Amino acid sequence: MPQTTRENPEPHFALGRQMTVEYYECDSATITDAPLMEKIFVNAAKASGATVISSDFHRFDPQGVSGVVVISESHFAVHAWPEYGYAAVDLFTCGENIDFDIAVSEIKTGMQSRSHIISSLVCRGILNGSGVERIRPIREDDDCHAFQLSWQTRFNETKARGFSNSIDLYNCEIQDRDSIEAAVREYSANLVGVIGKEAVSDCCIVSGADSIDFIRQYAGASLSGTVKIDGSTAYIDLRTEGFFNPHEASELAMRCFKSQYYRMQPNVRQ
């Protein structure tokens, strides 16, 4: 609704309203599936009262989805990180007929998100009697510089000593002991190029009733993990002195174990 303030007695109008929503603990299989995500967002747009014009969703290699639904009132957009179970959503409308509450709920249900936060709701293109005001729709607080977009930057700025990454692989195609053991050896050998540390032991592989465990030591690093024989999941833990790129380590694991998608949990170590 237009508001009147003491400083500006005339009503103000906005050309559009924009809501950004953070979705957490989403189903990783869902948010790595571009056609399914497109269906979820098109349905959410229609349910909220929007008129859908077109849509375009793209799956990245090896995983991740970006997409946009163009509506006559503006757009719904998303970028998803399956490795974190997280999706960033942007809802923009220039009409009053869009029900954001319905859109937020429909998207949450579709992505099977366990929690969400509405991170911003702003008016864009504020009008007064002489046109569009030159004002900033969002005032960033003074602490915004504390958030980095790079794990390397975070590692450096926190003066960390080590780095770790827990990797969960899902729907692995290899489902027999020989293939799994070969994948373990391939991963542990190629990991040298990712972490920049030489192996100081052979890869120890222990075969159990329904899983295969493995461990290998490197100079200033360690690798351990478990792979289910049925190919459903593989769990990998990697710790190093110094920094390594967690995405490279995770994507290498995805290729070696032929998994459909992965999740990861990087952490700087003091």
Side-chain angles (χ1 to χ4, degrees), residues 9 16 20-21 29 34 60 64 69 79 85 95 123 132 149 162 167 172 198 203 214 224 242:
T20 59
V21 191
F60 295 95
V69 178
H79 189 74
C123 292
V132 180
L149 297 178
I167 308 166
C172 302
E198 294 297 326
C203 188
F214 61 91
S224 61

Side-chain angles (χ1 to χ4, degrees), residues 3 20-21 58 108 118 120-121 138 154 182 196 215 231 244 258:
Q3 297 182 355
T20 59
V21 191
H58 173 77
K108 181 178 182 180
I118 297 174
S120 68
L121 177 59
I138 300 176
R154 181 172 177 80
I215 187 169
F244 66 90
K258 295 181 171 60

Side-chain angles (χ1 to χ4, degrees), residues 54-66:
S54 65
S55 58
D56 186 17
F57 280 68
H58 173 77
R59 172 174 171 149
F60 295 95
D61 185 19
Q63 66 180 24
V65 169
S66 284

Side-chain angles (χ1 to χ4, degrees), residues 129-161:
S130 58
V132 180
E133 292 189 9
R134 288 170 173 78
I135 61 174
R136 294 170 59 186
I138 300 176
R139 179 180 177 274
E140 296 181 352
D141 62 51
D142 294 333
D143 293 329
C144 66
H145 68 277
F147 297 87
Q148 297 94 19
L149 297 178
S150 162
W151 283 107
Q152 175 80 73
T153 301
R154 181 172 177 80
F155 181 87
N156 293 340
E157 292 191 356
T158 58
K159 299 181 180 179
R161 296 182 179 180

Side-chain angles (χ1 to χ4, degrees), residues 161-164 195-201 216-223 238-244 269:
R161 296 182 179 180
F163 196 76
S164 66
I195 63 177
K197 299 181 184 298
E198 294 297 326
V200 296
S201 73
R216 191 170 195 180
Q217 298 295 325
Y218 303 79
S222 66
L223 167 70
L238 178 59
R239 301 169 184 265
T240 69
E241 296 174 1
F243 178 77
F244 66 90
R269 312 299 293 271

